[in-house]
Amino acid sequence: LDIAPDSDKGPLYVEYSVDGVNYTAIGRFEGGGGSIKGDGPMLSTVSFSPVTSKYFRVVSTTERFISNVYLNTTKRIPGWLKKGNYRNGAWDNPEPKIDINRDDVIDSKSVLDITEFVHNGVLSWKAPKGVWKVVRFGHTSIGKLNHSAPTTGTGLECDKYSKEAFKFHFDKMFEKLLPHFRKLSKGKVGLLIDSYEMGVQNWTPKLPQEFESRRNYSIVNYLPALTGRIVDSQETSDSFLWDFRTTCADMMADNYHGYFAELCKQNGIESFTEPDGGGPFKEIQVGSKVDTNMGEFWSGI
């Protein structure tokens, strides 16, 4: 399902019934909703064993807006939304093993990149003999807006995995302030990356190159795992998704926090961060990249 933001305040179940009166829950949806109104709809999924019945329903414990519902017979990797960095929480708990049929598994050696046969959005490909599933991969902004920020400073979040994108962001944000910072001879001047509250990111244009450089194998043959499909085995798919998240964390540390510290140093100022908040990174790793770490302590008094 695609579910509107601010609607993830309670569980969402799928149930079945033989008589239309007494229902039994067969699965609880994972994901859905969002924390910021600019998020747009968020995907929510559930997997369950085959059931033959006359009545099925989706039950929500709170008011929601559901834009689309898709049914699919292909088994998906448990927790794939988290493992593919569509949702937070992938590092927390292991997901259960599932029973897999031969038809559920994609052979990584059979995966082909047919991008060269797509022209103006139309695929012209003379496929080799056999049965093929064509999956189109693309990427776009998720529409996440920065916060907290004044009206004049509100806009789309920058690509945290790209040095080029962050350099543009850094220059445009501070180009009028940095000359004044450099003149200050007393006191401590620095810039802060605050606690991370922007959800997750799972792509950047150079990610295939970054992945192969850091993990020593190509991402292409395992891309179907990012759609929840099982490649070679559940263990292999989980291993790839772990490498994928690790690559994202490495890029966040090197191309965002690390590059931020480098740019601060070039301008004679200190770099600070609150290396927490939940996101596609590892707190200790990003914290080690800047001059000073800091935190917040909240009280209900």
Side-chain angles (χ1 to χ4, degrees):
L1 301 113
D2 279 345
I3 302 177
D6 298 328
S7 62
D8 55 350
K9 301 174 182 177
L12 185 66
Y13 301 93
V14 60
E15 300 179 342
Y16 78 97
S17 173
V18 176
D19 56 14
V21 177
N22 301 296
Y23 281 83
T24 301
I26 52 177
R28 175 172 172 165
F29 283 86
E30 172 192 297
S35 58
I36 307 298
K37 289 187 177 181
D39 282 353
M42 300 291 285
L43 188 63
S44 177
T45 64
V46 62
S47 297
F48 51 86
S49 300
V51 173
T52 301
S53 192
K54 188 174 181 180
Y55 303 95
F56 292 87
R57 70 182 185 184
V58 174
V59 180
S60 175
T61 58
T62 187
E63 183 177 347
R64 302 173 192 261
F65 175 79
I66 298 174
S67 58
N68 294 285
V69 178
Y70 306 94
L71 302 176
N72 199 301
T73 58
T74 303
K75 288 187 177 179
R76 293 294 200 267
I77 301 163
W80 69 274
L81 287 176
K82 293 179 180 178
K83 294 175 180 178
N85 269 353
Y86 298 96
R87 309 286 305 182
N88 273 322
W91 309 99
D92 298 344
N93 298 300
E95 297 288 344
K97 299 289 184 182
I98 57 173
D99 294 328
I100 300 172
N101 298 320
R102 189 182 186 118
D103 292 341
D104 297 322
V105 178
I106 297 172
D107 182 356
S108 62
K109 297 182 179 63
S110 70
V111 176
L112 301 177
D113 180 0
I114 55 175
T115 305
E116 62 179 302
F117 302 108
V118 178
H119 303 284
N120 298 321
V122 178
L123 174 64
S124 298
W125 176 49
K126 186 176 181 180
K129 186 177 181 180
V131 178
W132 295 89
K133 180 180 290 292
V134 178
V135 181
R136 178 180 178 268
F137 289 90
H139 64 94
T140 186
S141 167
I142 61 174
K144 178 74 74 171
L145 301 179
N146 62 327
H147 76 102
S148 302
T151 302
T152 54
T154 300
L156 293 173
E157 278 287 303
C158 73
D159 180 353
K160 301 296 195 301
Y161 298 160
S162 166
K163 282 188 175 182
E164 295 83 359
F166 181 68
K167 181 66 164 60
F168 179 85
H169 172 79
F170 185 94
D171 289 345
K172 293 301 180 183
M173 178 170 284
F174 299 116
E175 62 185 353
K176 294 182 179 180
L177 290 173
L178 289 173
H180 299 286
F181 288 169
R182 298 188 193 104
K183 295 177 183 178
L184 297 176
S185 58
K186 295 182 180 180
K188 181 172 285 190
V189 179
L191 297 177
L192 164 69
I193 294 178
D194 208 344
S195 58
Y196 192 82
E197 301 170 13
M198 305 314 298
V200 286
Q201 174 185 341
N202 70 354
W203 200 259
T204 188
K206 291 185 178 179
L207 196 147
Q209 297 96 309
E210 291 267 11
F211 184 91
E212 187 162 1
S213 173
R214 296 172 185 271
R215 307 278 87 86
N216 297 316
Y217 66 97
S218 173
I219 196 175
V220 172
N221 296 77
Y222 299 91
L223 277 176
L226 289 176
T227 70
R229 293 174 171 85
I230 300 162
V231 180
D232 290 341
S233 68
Q234 185 177 342
E235 291 80 5
T236 298
S237 299
D238 281 341
S239 179
F240 160 73
L241 291 172
W242 180 278
D243 286 347
F244 177 80
R245 295 193 304 280
T246 300
T247 300
C248 291
D250 289 348
M251 289 189 296
M252 180 71 89
D254 296 337
N255 300 343
Y256 181 42
H257 289 83
Y259 193 44
F260 165 75
E262 181 182 329
L263 293 174
C264 286
K265 186 175 182 179
Q266 289 175 10
N267 287 279
I269 57 179
E270 294 194 34
S271 57
F272 298 80
T273 189
E274 292 182 6
D276 53 41
F281 58 88
K282 299 176 182 178
E283 284 83 354
I284 294 177
Q285 184 184 25
V286 299
S288 69
K289 297 291 184 176
V290 303
D291 294 322
T292 303
N293 284 203
M294 56 182 291
E296 299 176 17
F297 298 89
W298 292 73
S299 172
I301 297 175

